[in-house]
Amino acid sequence: MPERQEDAAPAPRTPAPGGAPAPSVDVLLPYPDLDVRHGPWPSRARVHVWDGLTPERELPARDLDRVGLWVMPYAVPGAEKLLPRLPALRAVQSLSAGVEKLLPVLPDGVALHNGRGLHDASTAEHALGLILAAQRDLPRWIADQQQGRWEPHFTRSLADCRVAVIGYGSIGAALEQRLLACEAEVVRVARRARPEENVHPVGHLPGLLPTVDIAVLVLPETPATTGMFGEEELAALPDGALVVNVGRGRTLDTEALLAETRAGRLRAALDVTDPEPLPAGHPLREAPGVLITPHVAGGSAAFRPRAERLIVEQVRRYAAGEPLLYAFRGR
């Protein structure tokens, strides 16, 4: 998993000659009226707004030419097409935790900052919801409700289950809190061992997977993680185990998962898939014991307030010439 640091060097603050006021800095944000909700902008900051939906050709070139910090719109496909129109750009703030798709198009010399922490609560809630839905047979009960059946039976539980959180970081920690509240046992797994936090390295997975009831993937997509959870890892899980993916679809081998679920040996609850979007006729949609949501884990109502607070803080830091938060060091 890529390294992320809390701070990175900000855009240099140019001193004004003769004690004159420091020059203004231009920032481009996705939301209007943040100063109404969060207080006035720093006096140095000139704020421009683009939501990613308005045609970018309508943005005045004279404004874009000065933008040094761009906070990208969240979940707007193709927003990166604006990058060539930002010649003075020094830093990009993504509101996503995963930024791997930005790396190939980011201009040299431009710092990248990710949305670490913005999606922790939302994604952890959704992962917990997927687990509970699968363990307590909620899809079956919904179908029974719609078809007028009343056929109760006992189900699995989350309590007393052993859950491996693979890709243990801030989202994994948020999920752990919720799992512990449900009386589950959590096994932490990350790229490298962190003995002081009781975190196992991924190299321990062959020995860990046969002992868990639920495996939750919270992995970013990198060359090292693409296809990481494949035929061998799935085969190591015990019969009836549940595989949950709220990270990136390509970290889980779809064909290997299909083989296991079609055989009825494993179950799955997926918020991300490979391919994505999942085509209407894809066999994963009809596989037994598979629950799918359309990559919505991070987008709950908890996201926007957190995103706004981060944007306001980053603008304050940029205007003050201070280091910005959450520099991405994965390149």
Side-chain angles (χ1 to χ4, degrees):
M1 283 162 274
E3 295 292 334
R4 290 172 293 185
Q5 294 189 5
E6 294 298 313
D7 296 299
R13 185 171 183 175
T14 305
S24 297
V25 294
D26 287 67
V27 298
L28 182 61
L29 310 181
Y31 306 133
D33 302 325
L34 293 185
D35 54 334
V36 175
R37 293 188 289 279
H38 299 277
W41 294 116
S43 58
R44 293 187 68 211
R46 280 196 299 238
V47 175
H48 314 279
V49 176
W50 183 55
D51 61 6
L53 304 176
T54 304
E56 53 94 14
R57 64 179 178 273
E58 297 181 12
L59 297 172
R62 65 181 180 276
D63 294 338
L64 297 183
D65 286 349
R66 297 190 298 260
V67 167
L69 169 64
W70 179 28
V71 181
M72 295 184 67
Y74 176 64
V76 177
E80 66 277 3
K81 65 182 179 289
L82 192 65
L83 284 168
R85 294 192 59 194
L86 302 172
L89 192 63
R90 299 192 61 86
V92 169
Q93 171 68 58
S94 171
L95 298 180
S96 295
V99 292
E100 60 277 352
K101 292 182 180 179
L102 283 176
L103 298 178
V105 299
L106 198 69
D108 290 340
V110 175
L112 180 60
H113 303 261
N114 71 355
R116 186 179 187 186
L118 298 183
H119 305 278
D120 292 1
S122 296
T123 305
E125 283 182 354
H126 197 83
L128 179 63
L130 288 173
I131 293 169
L132 290 171
Q135 292 296 93
R136 300 307 301 264
D137 258 1
L138 294 191
R140 158 73 182 273
W141 306 132
I142 292 169
D144 283 1
Q145 175 186 340
Q146 293 171 340
Q147 296 174 26
R149 291 193 298 262
W150 188 273
E151 298 176 0
H153 65 264
F154 289 115
T155 70
R156 296 175 173 87
S157 178
L158 174 54
D160 301 329
C161 281
R162 184 170 162 89
V163 184
V165 178
I166 303 166
Y168 186 88
S170 60
I171 292 174
L175 175 59
E176 179 181 46
Q177 292 179 337
R178 291 154 175 81
L179 292 170
L180 293 176
C182 292
E183 302 181 38
E185 177 187 356
V186 175
V187 180
R188 305 169 176 178
V189 182
R191 182 178 62 174
R192 289 193 294 260
R194 303 200 295 269
E196 70 283 0
E197 299 177 48
N198 197 27
V199 176
H200 298 269
V202 292
H204 287 182
L205 280 177
L208 292 172
L209 291 175
T211 73
V212 304
D213 306 289
I214 301 170
V216 184
L217 306 185
V218 198
L219 294 164
E221 183 182 319
T222 69
T225 63
T226 298
M228 189 189 93
F229 213 80
E231 184 176 350
E232 291 184 9
E233 289 74 22
L234 293 168
L237 289 167
D239 291 354
L242 174 67
V243 179
V244 180
N245 194 359
V246 292
R248 288 292 183 266
R250 294 183 64 203
T251 64
L252 175 60
D253 186 321
T254 298
E255 292 303 316
L257 180 66
L258 272 170
E260 293 282 11
T261 54
R262 281 171 165 167
R265 200 185 77 80
L266 297 181
R267 300 169 296 128
L270 312 172
D271 184 57
V272 291
T273 60
D274 179 27
E276 189 176 301
L278 195 65
H282 195 280
L284 198 57
R285 291 182 177 273
E286 302 298 327
V290 176
L291 172 62
I292 299 171
T293 57
H295 201 152
V296 293
S300 78
F303 162 73
R304 176 69 178 260
R306 289 166 168 77
E308 290 192 2
R309 290 193 292 270
L310 175 62
I311 292 169
V312 168
E313 176 62 15
Q314 295 291 62
V315 172
R316 184 197 68 76
R317 286 170 172 260
Y318 189 75
E322 297 175 0
L324 301 182
L325 299 172
Y326 309 136
F328 186 81
R329 298 295 194 186
R331 290 189 288 176

PDB file of all heavy atoms in Angstrom, residues 117-143:
ATOM      1  N   GLY A 117      -9.245   9.996   5.615  1.00  0.00           N
ATOM      2  CA  GLY A 117     -10.147  10.194   6.746  1.00  0.00           C
ATOM      3  C   GLY A 117     -11.542  10.645   6.367  1.00  0.00           C
ATOM      4  O   GLY A 117     -12.469  10.498   7.169  1.00  0.00           O
ATOM      5  N   LEU A 118     -11.724  11.177   5.160  1.00  0.00           N
ATOM      6  CA  LEU A 118     -13.040  11.701   4.789  1.00  0.00           C
ATOM      7  C   LEU A 118     -14.085  10.603   4.683  1.00  0.00           C
ATOM      8  O   LEU A 118     -15.272  10.836   4.917  1.00  0.00           O
ATOM      9  CB  LEU A 118     -12.965  12.453   3.456  1.00  0.00           C
ATOM     10  CG  LEU A 118     -12.063  13.681   3.404  1.00  0.00           C
ATOM     11  CD1 LEU A 118     -12.170  14.350   2.037  1.00  0.00           C
ATOM     12  CD2 LEU A 118     -12.406  14.664   4.512  1.00  0.00           C
ATOM     13  N   HIS A 119     -13.646   9.408   4.306  1.00  0.00           N
ATOM     14  CA  HIS A 119     -14.584   8.327   4.027  1.00  0.00           C
ATOM     15  C   HIS A 119     -14.556   7.237   5.086  1.00  0.00           C
ATOM     16  O   HIS A 119     -15.203   6.199   4.905  1.00  0.00           O
ATOM     17  CB  HIS A 119     -14.268   7.720   2.660  1.00  0.00           C
ATOM     18  CG  HIS A 119     -14.257   8.720   1.555  1.00  0.00           C
ATOM     19  ND1 HIS A 119     -15.406   9.151   0.928  1.00  0.00           N
ATOM     20  CD2 HIS A 119     -13.237   9.396   0.980  1.00  0.00           C
ATOM     21  CE1 HIS A 119     -15.094  10.036  -0.004  1.00  0.00           C
ATOM     22  NE2 HIS A 119     -13.786  10.212   0.027  1.00  0.00           N
ATOM     23  N   ASP A 120     -13.814   7.457   6.154  1.00  0.00           N
ATOM     24  CA  ASP A 120     -13.655   6.394   7.148  1.00  0.00           C
ATOM     25  C   ASP A 120     -14.997   5.939   7.719  1.00  0.00           C
ATOM     26  O   ASP A 120     -15.321   4.744   7.711  1.00  0.00           O
ATOM     27  CB  ASP A 120     -12.749   6.857   8.289  1.00  0.00           C
ATOM     28  CG  ASP A 120     -11.315   7.054   7.845  1.00  0.00           C
ATOM     29  OD1 ASP A 120     -11.019   6.852   6.646  1.00  0.00           O
ATOM     30  OD2 ASP A 120     -10.488   7.437   8.696  1.00  0.00           O
ATOM     31  N   ALA A 121     -15.774   6.889   8.228  1.00  0.00           N
ATOM     32  CA  ALA A 121     -17.046   6.530   8.865  1.00  0.00           C
ATOM     33  C   ALA A 121     -18.009   5.928   7.848  1.00  0.00           C
ATOM     34  O   ALA A 121     -18.643   4.897   8.103  1.00  0.00           O
ATOM     35  CB  ALA A 121     -17.667   7.754   9.531  1.00  0.00           C
ATOM     36  N   SER A 122     -18.125   6.565   6.674  1.00  0.00           N
ATOM     37  CA  SER A 122     -19.066   6.079   5.663  1.00  0.00           C
ATOM     38  C   SER A 122     -18.708   4.673   5.212  1.00  0.00           C
ATOM     39  O   SER A 122     -19.573   3.790   5.120  1.00  0.00           O
ATOM     40  CB  SER A 122     -19.066   7.020   4.453  1.00  0.00           C
ATOM     41  OG  SER A 122     -19.531   8.300   4.800  1.00  0.00           O
ATOM     42  N   THR A 123     -17.439   4.459   4.890  1.00  0.00           N
ATOM     43  CA  THR A 123     -17.027   3.160   4.370  1.00  0.00           C
ATOM     44  C   THR A 123     -17.126   2.084   5.441  1.00  0.00           C
ATOM     45  O   THR A 123     -17.543   0.946   5.158  1.00  0.00           O
ATOM     46  CB  THR A 123     -15.597   3.240   3.819  1.00  0.00           C
ATOM     47  OG1 THR A 123     -15.528   4.279   2.847  1.00  0.00           O
ATOM     48  CG2 THR A 123     -15.183   1.930   3.175  1.00  0.00           C
ATOM     49  N   ALA A 124     -16.755   2.426   6.666  1.00  0.00           N
ATOM     50  CA  ALA A 124     -16.855   1.453   7.755  1.00  0.00           C
ATOM     51  C   ALA A 124     -18.309   1.071   8.010  1.00  0.00           C
ATOM     52  O   ALA A 124     -18.630  -0.114   8.217  1.00  0.00           O
ATOM     53  CB  ALA A 124     -16.219   2.020   9.018  1.00  0.00           C
ATOM     54  N   GLU A 125     -19.204   2.047   7.995  1.00  0.00           N
ATOM     55  CA  GLU A 125     -20.632   1.755   8.161  1.00  0.00           C
ATOM     56  C   GLU A 125     -21.129   0.813   7.076  1.00  0.00           C
ATOM     57  O   GLU A 125     -21.865  -0.138   7.332  1.00  0.00           O
ATOM     58  CB  GLU A 125     -21.449   3.045   8.114  1.00  0.00           C
ATOM     59  CG  GLU A 125     -21.418   3.875   9.367  1.00  0.00           C
ATOM     60  CD  GLU A 125     -22.288   5.122   9.253  1.00  0.00           C
ATOM     61  OE1 GLU A 125     -22.820   5.393   8.155  1.00  0.00           O
ATOM     62  OE2 GLU A 125     -22.437   5.818  10.266  1.00  0.00           O
ATOM     63  N   HIS A 126     -20.735   1.131   5.825  1.00  0.00           N
ATOM     64  CA  HIS A 126     -21.220   0.323   4.713  1.00  0.00           C
ATOM     65  C   HIS A 126     -20.674  -1.095   4.785  1.00  0.00           C
ATOM     66  O   HIS A 126     -21.405  -2.067   4.545  1.00  0.00           O
ATOM     67  CB  HIS A 126     -20.827   0.976   3.383  1.00  0.00           C
ATOM     68  CG  HIS A 126     -21.606   0.465   2.222  1.00  0.00           C
ATOM     69  ND1 HIS A 126     -22.860   0.938   1.892  1.00  0.00           N
ATOM     70  CD2 HIS A 126     -21.321  -0.491   1.305  1.00  0.00           C
ATOM     71  CE1 HIS A 126     -23.307   0.309   0.824  1.00  0.00           C
ATOM     72  NE2 HIS A 126     -22.388  -0.573   0.439  1.00  0.00           N
ATOM     73  N   ALA A 127     -19.386  -1.212   5.121  1.00  0.00           N
ATOM     74  CA  ALA A 127     -18.804  -2.549   5.262  1.00  0.00           C
ATOM     75  C   ALA A 127     -19.534  -3.343   6.341  1.00  0.00           C
ATOM     76  O   ALA A 127     -19.841  -4.535   6.158  1.00  0.00           O
ATOM     77  CB  ALA A 127     -17.319  -2.440   5.592  1.00  0.00           C
ATOM     78  N   LEU A 128     -19.818  -2.683   7.459  1.00  0.00           N
ATOM     79  CA  LEU A 128     -20.559  -3.357   8.520  1.00  0.00           C
ATOM     80  C   LEU A 128     -21.952  -3.753   8.035  1.00  0.00           C
ATOM     81  O   LEU A 128     -22.432  -4.862   8.321  1.00  0.00           O
ATOM     82  CB  LEU A 128     -20.663  -2.453   9.747  1.00  0.00           C
ATOM     83  CG  LEU A 128     -21.447  -3.029  10.938  1.00  0.00           C
ATOM     84  CD1 LEU A 128     -20.762  -4.269  11.486  1.00  0.00           C
ATOM     85  CD2 LEU A 128     -21.609  -1.974  12.027  1.00  0.00           C
ATOM     86  N   GLY A 129     -22.596  -2.842   7.284  1.00  0.00           N
ATOM     87  CA  GLY A 129     -23.919  -3.157   6.748  1.00  0.00           C
ATOM     88  C   GLY A 129     -23.892  -4.360   5.817  1.00  0.00           C
ATOM     89  O   GLY A 129     -24.774  -5.228   5.877  1.00  0.00           O
ATOM     90  N   LEU A 130     -22.883  -4.431   4.954  1.00  0.00           N
ATOM     91  CA  LEU A 130     -22.760  -5.578   4.056  1.00  0.00           C
ATOM     92  C   LEU A 130     -22.563  -6.869   4.847  1.00  0.00           C
ATOM     93  O   LEU A 130     -23.156  -7.917   4.540  1.00  0.00           O
ATOM     94  CB  LEU A 130     -21.583  -5.374   3.110  1.00  0.00           C
ATOM     95  CG  LEU A 130     -21.752  -4.326   2.004  1.00  0.00           C
ATOM     96  CD1 LEU A 130     -20.436  -4.132   1.259  1.00  0.00           C
ATOM     97  CD2 LEU A 130     -22.859  -4.714   1.031  1.00  0.00           C
ATOM     98  N   ILE A 131     -21.710  -6.800   5.867  1.00  0.00           N
ATOM     99  CA  ILE A 131     -21.455  -7.991   6.682  1.00  0.00           C
ATOM    100  C   ILE A 131     -22.732  -8.461   7.373  1.00  0.00           C
ATOM    101  O   ILE A 131     -23.091  -9.655   7.333  1.00  0.00           O
ATOM    102  CB  ILE A 131     -20.350  -7.708   7.714  1.00  0.00           C
ATOM    103  CG1 ILE A 131     -19.013  -7.488   7.004  1.00  0.00           C
ATOM    104  CG2 ILE A 131     -20.245  -8.851   8.726  1.00  0.00           C
ATOM    105  CD1 ILE A 131     -17.925  -6.932   7.917  1.00  0.00           C
ATOM    106  N   LEU A 132     -23.430  -7.538   8.010  1.00  0.00           N
ATOM    107  CA  LEU A 132     -24.655  -7.911   8.726  1.00  0.00           C
ATOM    108  C   LEU A 132     -25.724  -8.425   7.766  1.00  0.00           C
ATOM    109  O   LEU A 132     -26.436  -9.389   8.072  1.00  0.00           O
ATOM    110  CB  LEU A 132     -25.180  -6.719   9.525  1.00  0.00           C
ATOM    111  CG  LEU A 132     -24.335  -6.310  10.728  1.00  0.00           C
ATOM    112  CD1 LEU A 132     -24.844  -4.985  11.315  1.00  0.00           C
ATOM    113  CD2 LEU A 132     -24.353  -7.401  11.791  1.00  0.00           C
ATOM    114  N   ALA A 133     -25.830  -7.777   6.598  1.00  0.00           N
ATOM    115  CA  ALA A 133     -26.822  -8.225   5.619  1.00  0.00           C
ATOM    116  C   ALA A 133     -26.538  -9.651   5.175  1.00  0.00           C
ATOM    117  O   ALA A 133     -27.453 -10.480   5.043  1.00  0.00           O
ATOM    118  CB  ALA A 133     -26.828  -7.287   4.415  1.00  0.00           C
ATOM    119  N   ALA A 134     -25.255  -9.956   4.948  1.00  0.00           N
ATOM    120  CA  ALA A 134     -24.899 -11.301   4.510  1.00  0.00           C
ATOM    121  C   ALA A 134     -25.051 -12.318   5.641  1.00  0.00           C
ATOM    122  O   ALA A 134     -25.559 -13.429   5.418  1.00  0.00           O
ATOM    123  CB  ALA A 134     -23.466 -11.308   3.983  1.00  0.00           C
ATOM    124  N   GLN A 135     -24.610 -11.939   6.829  1.00  0.00           N
ATOM    125  CA  GLN A 135     -24.652 -12.888   7.950  1.00  0.00           C
ATOM    126  C   GLN A 135     -26.086 -13.176   8.391  1.00  0.00           C
ATOM    127  O   GLN A 135     -26.392 -14.294   8.826  1.00  0.00           O
ATOM    128  CB  GLN A 135     -23.845 -12.351   9.131  1.00  0.00           C
ATOM    129  CG  GLN A 135     -22.340 -12.277   8.896  1.00  0.00           C
ATOM    130  CD  GLN A 135     -21.700 -13.626   8.682  1.00  0.00           C
ATOM    131  OE1 GLN A 135     -21.555 -14.063   7.547  1.00  0.00           O
ATOM    132  NE2 GLN A 135     -21.343 -14.301   9.768  1.00  0.00           N
ATOM    133  N   ARG A 136     -26.950 -12.170   8.309  1.00  0.00           N
ATOM    134  CA  ARG A 136     -28.322 -12.339   8.803  1.00  0.00           C
ATOM    135  C   ARG A 136     -29.337 -12.552   7.678  1.00  0.00           C
ATOM    136  O   ARG A 136     -30.541 -12.444   7.892  1.00  0.00           O
ATOM    137  CB  ARG A 136     -28.718 -11.142   9.673  1.00  0.00           C
ATOM    138  CG  ARG A 136     -27.847 -10.909  10.914  1.00  0.00           C
ATOM    139  CD  ARG A 136     -27.736 -12.169  11.785  1.00  0.00           C
ATOM    140  NE  ARG A 136     -29.019 -12.637  12.244  1.00  0.00           N
ATOM    141  CZ  ARG A 136     -29.537 -12.333  13.444  1.00  0.00           C
ATOM    142  NH1 ARG A 136     -28.852 -11.558  14.282  1.00  0.00           N
ATOM    143  NH2 ARG A 136     -30.713 -12.798  13.787  1.00  0.00           N
ATOM    144  N   ASP A 137     -28.854 -12.855   6.476  1.00  0.00           N
ATOM    145  CA  ASP A 137     -29.727 -13.250   5.356  1.00  0.00           C
ATOM    146  C   ASP A 137     -30.720 -12.162   4.934  1.00  0.00           C
ATOM    147  O   ASP A 137     -31.836 -12.474   4.505  1.00  0.00           O
ATOM    148  CB  ASP A 137     -30.503 -14.526   5.703  1.00  0.00           C
ATOM    149  CG  ASP A 137     -29.916 -15.764   5.055  1.00  0.00           C
ATOM    150  OD1 ASP A 137     -28.896 -15.631   4.361  1.00  0.00           O
ATOM    151  OD2 ASP A 137     -30.489 -16.857   5.238  1.00  0.00           O
ATOM    152  N   LEU A 138     -30.340 -10.901   5.044  1.00  0.00           N
ATOM    153  CA  LEU A 138     -31.288  -9.839   4.709  1.00  0.00           C
ATOM    154  C   LEU A 138     -31.796  -9.903   3.267  1.00  0.00           C
ATOM    155  O   LEU A 138     -32.982  -9.642   3.031  1.00  0.00           O
ATOM    156  CB  LEU A 138     -30.671  -8.471   5.001  1.00  0.00           C
ATOM    157  CG  LEU A 138     -30.394  -8.149   6.468  1.00  0.00           C
ATOM    158  CD1 LEU A 138     -30.053  -6.682   6.640  1.00  0.00           C
ATOM    159  CD2 LEU A 138     -31.570  -8.529   7.360  1.00  0.00           C
ATOM    160  N   PRO A 139     -30.947 -10.238   2.253  1.00  0.00           N
ATOM    161  CA  PRO A 139     -31.519 -10.361   0.903  1.00  0.00           C
ATOM    162  C   PRO A 139     -32.660 -11.382   0.824  1.00  0.00           C
ATOM    163  O   PRO A 139     -33.646 -11.166   0.117  1.00  0.00           O
ATOM    164  CB  PRO A 139     -30.309 -10.786   0.062  1.00  0.00           C
ATOM    165  CG  PRO A 139     -29.139 -10.220   0.780  1.00  0.00           C
ATOM    166  CD  PRO A 139     -29.478 -10.382   2.235  1.00  0.00           C
ATOM    167  N   ARG A 140     -32.517 -12.488   1.551  1.00  0.00           N
ATOM    168  CA  ARG A 140     -33.582 -13.503   1.561  1.00  0.00           C
ATOM    169  C   ARG A 140     -34.862 -12.939   2.167  1.00  0.00           C
ATOM    170  O   ARG A 140     -35.967 -13.134   1.651  1.00  0.00           O
ATOM    171  CB  ARG A 140     -33.102 -14.719   2.350  1.00  0.00           C
ATOM    172  CG  ARG A 140     -34.189 -15.629   2.897  1.00  0.00           C
ATOM    173  CD  ARG A 140     -34.875 -16.475   1.834  1.00  0.00           C
ATOM    174  NE  ARG A 140     -35.936 -17.283   2.417  1.00  0.00           N
ATOM    175  CZ  ARG A 140     -35.747 -18.493   2.957  1.00  0.00           C
ATOM    176  NH1 ARG A 140     -34.534 -19.029   2.998  1.00  0.00           N
ATOM    177  NH2 ARG A 140     -36.769 -19.166   3.447  1.00  0.00           N
ATOM    178  N   TRP A 141     -34.733 -12.199   3.285  1.00  0.00           N
ATOM    179  CA  TRP A 141     -35.928 -11.663   3.937  1.00  0.00           C
ATOM    180  C   TRP A 141     -36.593 -10.593   3.063  1.00  0.00           C
ATOM    181  O   TRP A 141     -37.822 -10.479   3.044  1.00  0.00           O
ATOM    182  CB  TRP A 141     -35.586 -11.086   5.312  1.00  0.00           C
ATOM    183  CG  TRP A 141     -34.871 -12.039   6.228  1.00  0.00           C
ATOM    184  CD1 TRP A 141     -33.757 -11.784   6.961  1.00  0.00           C
ATOM    185  CD2 TRP A 141     -35.212 -13.401   6.509  1.00  0.00           C
ATOM    186  NE1 TRP A 141     -33.378 -12.883   7.672  1.00  0.00           N
ATOM    187  CE2 TRP A 141     -34.253 -13.902   7.422  1.00  0.00           C
ATOM    188  CE3 TRP A 141     -36.229 -14.256   6.068  1.00  0.00           C
ATOM    189  CZ2 TRP A 141     -34.284 -15.198   7.905  1.00  0.00           C
ATOM    190  CZ3 TRP A 141     -36.256 -15.559   6.546  1.00  0.00           C
ATOM    191  CH2 TRP A 141     -35.304 -16.017   7.449  1.00  0.00           C
ATOM    192  N   ILE A 142     -35.796  -9.811   2.332  1.00  0.00           N
ATOM    193  CA  ILE A 142     -36.374  -8.805   1.436  1.00  0.00           C
ATOM    194  C   ILE A 142     -37.159  -9.492   0.321  1.00  0.00           C
ATOM    195  O   ILE A 142     -38.282  -9.079  -0.026  1.00  0.00           O
ATOM    196  CB  ILE A 142     -35.268  -7.911   0.861  1.00  0.00           C
ATOM    197  CG1 ILE A 142     -34.674  -7.043   1.972  1.00  0.00           C
ATOM    198  CG2 ILE A 142     -35.805  -7.021  -0.271  1.00  0.00           C
ATOM    199  CD1 ILE A 142     -33.413  -6.310   1.580  1.00  0.00           C
ATOM    200  N   ALA A 143     -36.581 -10.548  -0.241  1.00  0.00           N
ATOM    201  CA  ALA A 143     -37.297 -11.291  -1.290  1.00  0.00           C
ATOM    202  C   ALA A 143     -38.575 -11.909  -0.737  1.00  0.00           C
ATOM    203  O   ALA A 143     -39.630 -11.894  -1.398  1.00  0.00           O
ATOM    204  CB  ALA A 143     -36.387 -12.371  -1.873  1.00  0.00           C
TER     205      ALA A 143
END
